[in-house]
Amino acid sequence: MASRKPALKFTKMHALGNDFIVLDAITRPLKMTPERAQRMADRHTGIGCDQILLVEPPSSPDVDFDYRIFNQDGSEVNQCGNGARCFAKYVYDRKLTGKKNIRVQTKAGKMELLVNADHTYTAILGVPEFAFEQIPYKASEVPANGEKICLRIADESLGFWLVSLGNPHAVIEVDSAETAEVERIGTLLQNHPNFPESVNVGFMQILNRHEISLRVFERGAGETLACGSGACAAAISGINNGLLDSPVTVNLALGKLKIEWAGPGQAVKLSGPATSVFHGQTRI
């Protein structure tokens, strides 16, 4: 009888409810395929998660690790801010590094992660992009980069700001995040031909100049309890248009994130908790 393949060890983590399967591809190299990611992420027949995070050996000498992210649908994406904070906790807790200032390579570029003394974790996500070709967004007539766009979809006009943090975000200001039609409007925008790579859609309610409430409909995952890069995109859009001031507290379903951004040309910082839920093994 042929021997069974050895079980694959994993850690289940979450950042304010945005949950992840984290895999160590350093001590045991592994190949992630869309099909395998889908099976692992399935909440009924697999482990279940919003995204799968891979810790890989560094591809260049100026980083400590490579960081890869796969959605529930198996697609690989460039960036995940909440995942980055879980990544930092994972590699530090598992003693894959002793550093508290960690550099990683993502598909969106290099990123710095900080292990803070107060047991929170910071991801420095880089400089936001407003150029439409970087998001990407296709339209014959658009306003200046960073200004609000109005798009008519299904007999209604939707206004939103666009920003890329290595992944594309459309941010809509709403009167109430609680009552916003997140799934319906999010689906309309994600399927619109102006977004050739789809888009994450944030619904931002401004509470005061330093605080917002937010819900996010993510591409490849649907609405999640928290989205780190979505929180950054919302804060950046508000600051860039004179509605908010840094730092911004972002209220999500299960807690708060802090966003710091000094303005165009500056990197954005995302800080908040990260939690390990359990360790396990799978042959998926």
Side-chain angles (χ1 to χ4, degrees), residues 125-205:
L125 300 185
V127 178
E129 281 280 359
F130 300 100
F132 296 112
E133 62 270 17
Q134 295 295 323
I135 288 168
Y137 181 78
K138 295 183 177 180
S140 57
E141 295 183 10
V142 292
N145 291 341
E147 293 185 4
K148 184 174 284 189
I149 293 171
C150 290
L151 184 63
R152 192 154 188 84
I153 309 177
D155 295 326
E156 63 183 304
S157 182
L158 294 175
F160 52 87
W161 296 287
L162 292 177
V163 60
S164 173
L165 288 155
N167 52 359
H169 291 271
V171 179
I172 301 171
E173 185 183 358
V174 295
D175 293 331
S176 169
E178 183 178 354
T179 60
E181 296 181 274
V182 171
E183 183 173 0
R184 184 182 72 82
I185 294 175
T187 300
L188 285 174
L189 280 178
Q190 286 183 349
N191 292 329
H192 196 278
N194 282 15
F195 293 102
E197 297 179 14
S198 191
V199 67
N200 302 298
V201 186
F203 298 80
M204 172 179 67
Q205 176 186 354

Side-chain angles (χ1 to χ4, degrees), residues 208-222:
N208 58 59
R209 293 196 67 85
H210 288 281
E211 188 171 10
I212 65 174
S213 290
L214 181 72
R215 292 168 66 188
V216 180
F217 195 77
E218 295 192 54
R219 59 177 184 171

Side-chain angles (χ1 to χ4, degrees), residues 37-272:
Q38 286 177 338
R39 291 197 300 271
M40 294 183 74
D42 191 288
R43 296 192 184 278
H44 300 288
T45 59
I47 302 164
C49 66
D50 291 323
Q51 279 98 16
I52 295 167
L53 313 181
L54 260 63
V55 182
E56 294 189 332
S59 56
S60 61
D62 59 341
V63 298
D64 300 299
F65 304 96
D66 278 15
Y67 163 41
R68 296 175 66 194
I69 309 114
F70 293 82
N71 278 337
Q72 282 181 342
D73 64 0
S75 59
E76 186 171 1
V77 294
N78 295 348
Q79 185 62 278
C80 178
N82 277 335
R85 292 185 296 104
C86 285
F87 188 105
K89 177 176 174 60
Y90 178 89
V91 297
Y92 188 77
D93 286 357
R94 304 286 285 183
K95 295 181 170 52
L96 295 175
T97 183
K99 296 180 179 180
K100 293 189 175 183
N101 189 321
I102 304 160
R103 285 178 58 83
V104 298
Q105 178 71 53
T106 74
K107 289 186 70 177
K110 294 178 175 62
M111 180 167 56
E112 190 174 356
L113 309 177
L114 307 178
V115 179
N116 301 320
D118 63 355
H119 305 292
T120 63
Y121 303 84
T122 297
I124 303 175
L125 300 185
V127 178
E129 281 280 359
F130 300 100
F132 296 112
E133 62 270 17
Q134 295 295 323
I135 288 168
Y137 181 78
K138 295 183 177 180
S140 57
E141 295 183 10
V142 292
N145 291 341
E147 293 185 4
K148 184 174 284 189
I149 293 171
C150 290
L151 184 63
R152 192 154 188 84
I153 309 177
D155 295 326
E156 63 183 304
S157 182
L158 294 175
F160 52 87
W161 296 287
L162 292 177
V163 60
S164 173
L165 288 155
N167 52 359
H169 291 271
V171 179
I172 301 171
E173 185 183 358
V174 295
D175 293 331
S176 169
E178 183 178 354
T179 60
E181 296 181 274
V182 171
E183 183 173 0
R184 184 182 72 82
I185 294 175
T187 300
L188 285 174
L189 280 178
Q190 286 183 349
N191 292 329
H192 196 278
N194 282 15
F195 293 102
E197 297 179 14
S198 191
V199 67
N200 302 298
V201 186
F203 298 80
M204 172 179 67
Q205 176 186 354
I206 296 177
L207 303 177
N208 58 59
R209 293 196 67 85
H210 288 281
E211 188 171 10
I212 65 174
S213 290
L214 181 72
R215 292 168 66 188
V216 180
F217 195 77
E218 295 192 54
R219 59 177 184 171
E223 184 177 4
T224 55
L225 291 173
C227 176
S229 60
C232 291
I236 288 164
S237 296
I239 295 168
N240 197 47
N241 288 278
L243 302 174
L244 296 170
D245 297 313
S246 180
V248 177
T249 297
V250 182
N251 293 285
L252 300 158
L254 298 183
K256 302 176 186 290
L257 294 172
K258 183 175 80 170
I259 313 299
E260 298 170 87
W261 187 55
Q266 302 299 310
V268 60
K269 295 182 180 181
L270 163 69
S271 300

